[in-house]
Amino acid sequence: MARQFTENRLVIASHNPGKVREISDLLIPWSISVVSAAELDLPEPEETGLSFRANAKLKSDAAAFEARLPALADDSGLAVNALNGAPGIYSARWAGAEKNFSVAMARVNREMGDNPDRGAQFVCALALTWPDGHSEVFEGSVGGTLVWPPRGTRGFGYDPMFLGDGDAGTYGEIAPEEKHARSHRAIAFRKLIAACFREPR
Ligand code: IMP
């Protein structure tokens, strides 16, 4: 059985404001005091893992160790069928040092060329590590189609080019609550909650 989270303080081990906002929103019902790695000025570990799970754990381990608090990390990205799963764990790196996702989306579209398979998955691994080193990791993914040009100004990263299966708009167009209800992050989060958290207080 997974370890239960009984503390009332949690570090979100991310320096990505989009992820911190989404994870904080998802945690609202639990009234946990959340603080981000950026607010604590924690160093960003190098993502040397070869999977979403490995990178998520590497980040939650580093933050829990540094902050001496339980830490939750997200490693996620876009896996494109026509690119054999790229950019995958390198999704952030495709945006370059400037973190320019217009550039990253244009590269994805360019490299897909005229491949008729526009399918892609958003994948998210969530890792929760306690200061004693114990950790739990959960993964979620959601399928969709890549559109060009990108549509909408909501969300972050590759959201404006991702049209989730069955959705009326891209993740850049639909309301944040809709994305939170069914995204890769929401799926991983539900697994984490089911395994480690009690019903909201
Ligand atoms: P990392 O997990 O810090 O390596 O970064 C993952 C990258 O994947 C982010 O910077 C985004 O570009 C992309 N990504 C992950 N989740 C999402 C999402 O929900 N929407 C859009 N892009 C995402």
Side-chain angles (χ1 to χ4, degrees), residues 77-102:
L78 181 70
V80 179
N81 296 350
L83 304 181
N84 297 316
I89 58 169
Y90 305 109
S91 294
R93 276 171 245 185
W94 276 35
E98 313 276 278
K99 302 194 176 173
N100 186 333
F101 283 95
S102 301

Side-chain angles (χ1 to χ4, degrees), residues 12 17-32 34 72 155-156 175-181 185-186 189 193:
I12 300 179
K19 283 187 188 176
V20 171
R21 188 175 57 243
E22 287 194 6
I23 296 171
S24 306
D25 282 358
L26 288 164
L27 281 167
I28 286 171
W30 282 269
S31 311
I32 296 160
V34 294
L72 179 63
F156 66 96
E177 306 80 62
E178 286 187 66
K179 180 180 175 191
H180 291 356
R185 191 161 292 106
F189 191 80
I193 292 301

Side-chain angles (χ1 to χ4, degrees), residues 7-155:
E7 293 78 356
N8 49 24
R9 201 147 179 246
L10 181 66
V11 180
I12 300 179
S14 176
H15 289 257
N16 175 332
K19 283 187 188 176
V20 171
R21 188 175 57 243
E22 287 194 6
I23 296 171
S24 306
D25 282 358
L26 288 164
L27 281 167
I28 286 171
W30 282 269
S31 311
I32 296 160
S33 150
V34 294
V35 57
S36 76
E39 285 171 289
L40 292 178
D41 217 12
L42 300 182
E44 272 186 273
E46 218 189 313
E47 294 185 25
T48 51
L50 294 179
S51 65
F52 291 110
R53 298 179 77 93
N55 280 332
K57 179 168 151 34
L58 186 147
K59 290 186 271 190
S60 60
D61 284 358
F65 178 76
E66 288 278 340
R68 300 265 136 227
L69 286 169
L72 179 63
D74 165 310
D75 198 69
S76 46
L78 181 70
V80 179
N81 296 350
L83 304 181
N84 297 316
I89 58 169
Y90 305 109
S91 294
R93 276 171 245 185
W94 276 35
E98 313 276 278
K99 302 194 176 173
N100 186 333
F101 283 95
S102 301
V103 169
M105 288 190 285
R107 179 170 168 195
V108 167
N109 188 58
R110 191 172 60 246
E111 295 204 7
M112 288 173 78
D114 55 10
N115 193 314
D117 184 354
R118 304 282 305 176
Q121 289 76 43
F122 263 139
V123 184
C124 173
L126 285 177
L128 175 60
T129 302
W130 282 261
D132 68 357
H134 182 89
S135 64
E136 304 282 350
V137 188
F138 304 89
E139 199 167 297
S141 68
V142 68
T145 303
L146 298 180
V147 303
W148 198 258
R151 304 196 317 235
T153 52
R154 291 166 144 163

